[in-house]
Amino acid sequence: MSSPAEDQILEGAREVIRREGAATAGIAEQLDESFLSAVSLLLGCQGKVVVAGSGTSGTVARRMAHLLSVCGTPAVFLHPMDALHGSLGAVSGADVVIAISKGGGSGELNDFARRAQERGARVLSLTARADSTLGRLADVSVQIAPAGQADPGGVIAMGSTLAVSAWGDALAVTLMRLSGYSWSQVLSAHPAGTVGQLTETPEELAPLDAAGLSGRD
């Protein structure tokens, strides 16, 4: 049997998880025309998707790039400061840059996004502030703003980054369904680990029709 002090610790931890769960689930109701525009932009990408962010947003960006690639949308992570030190040369006019920043005011990310546009790339911003510098400069801007106390003190990016991750997961799966990327293709590109040992493929995801997205972005 736990003590009152231990019960208090457990309840405090549970409350953190409840708040983060609510913040993530709430993003489902925020999906709107901007999500469709983002899908259209990436579906029409003739090059690669470059996902960028700094700090905790950088960690989310790396995860998003990996899962987009797993789901059939070629993507790479690029740290914005590395880009400003020469890796910007990896960005071409056929690419789409996904720039992630909760406040939209990260100087190095915004500088990178502008320079990527100068090279002909399109920029999709994911930020909690559509009126931020990043939100305004992007070709397509998506506002992801979790409600409630998702982040402790409104400072530590916890629930907000989970919400962005969930949004990115929805994007990856939607693109997979629209492009018809199959489980056999997923497994072919994932030969290691437990996934690589699978001998049977799951049932294919229900396809989606991309016809209604023409010209949207």
Side-chain angles (χ1 to χ4, degrees):
M1 180 179 297
S2 58
S3 69
E6 290 171 330
D7 288 341
Q8 187 177 30
I9 290 171
L10 290 173
E11 184 54 33
R14 292 184 184 114
E15 182 59 24
V16 171
I17 294 171
R18 291 187 191 107
R19 289 179 179 180
E20 292 187 345
T24 302
I27 298 303
E29 305 309 316
Q30 292 186 24
L31 296 184
D32 56 15
E33 297 286 316
S34 65
F35 182 80
L36 297 175
S37 294
V39 169
S40 180
L41 180 63
L42 269 69
L43 197 64
C45 179
Q46 298 300 306
K48 61 186 173 299
V49 178
V50 179
V51 195
S54 295
T56 313
S57 292
T59 301
V60 172
R62 189 183 296 275
R63 177 185 183 278
M64 190 179 296
H66 172 75
L67 290 175
L68 282 169
S69 296
V70 169
C71 293
T73 299
V76 295
F77 168 75
L78 180 58
H79 194 287
M81 191 56 76
D82 286 342
L84 298 180
H85 281 268
S87 294
L88 182 64
V91 179
S92 77
D95 296 340
V96 171
V97 171
I98 301 179
I100 305 174
S101 172
K102 179 182 177 182
S106 298
E108 72 276 10
L109 180 64
N110 294 341
D111 193 7
F112 164 58
R114 290 192 193 93
R115 293 175 187 273
Q117 287 175 321
E118 291 172 359
R119 297 178 66 85
R122 307 287 297 282
V123 172
L124 164 64
S125 70
L126 306 182
T127 176
R129 294 181 52 195
D131 62 346
S132 64
T133 299
L134 180 61
R136 293 195 305 271
L137 70 84
D139 297 282
V140 175
S141 179
V142 176
Q143 183 176 15
I144 303 175
Q149 300 298 316
D151 293 338
V155 175
I156 305 174
M158 291 184 173
S160 59
T161 52
L162 291 177
V164 173
S165 294
W167 188 97
D169 292 351
L171 176 68
V173 173
T174 299
L175 291 170
M176 184 177 177
R177 294 175 65 188
L178 284 166
S179 66
Y181 197 70
S182 68
W183 287 117
S184 62
Q185 289 172 291
V186 172
L187 297 182
S188 175
H190 200 316
T194 302
V195 171
Q197 298 173 21
L198 294 177
T199 57
E200 296 183 7
T201 58
E203 182 179 348
E204 298 295 346
L205 298 177
L208 292 171
D209 185 3
L213 294 174
S214 58
R216 173 171 284 276
D217 68 87

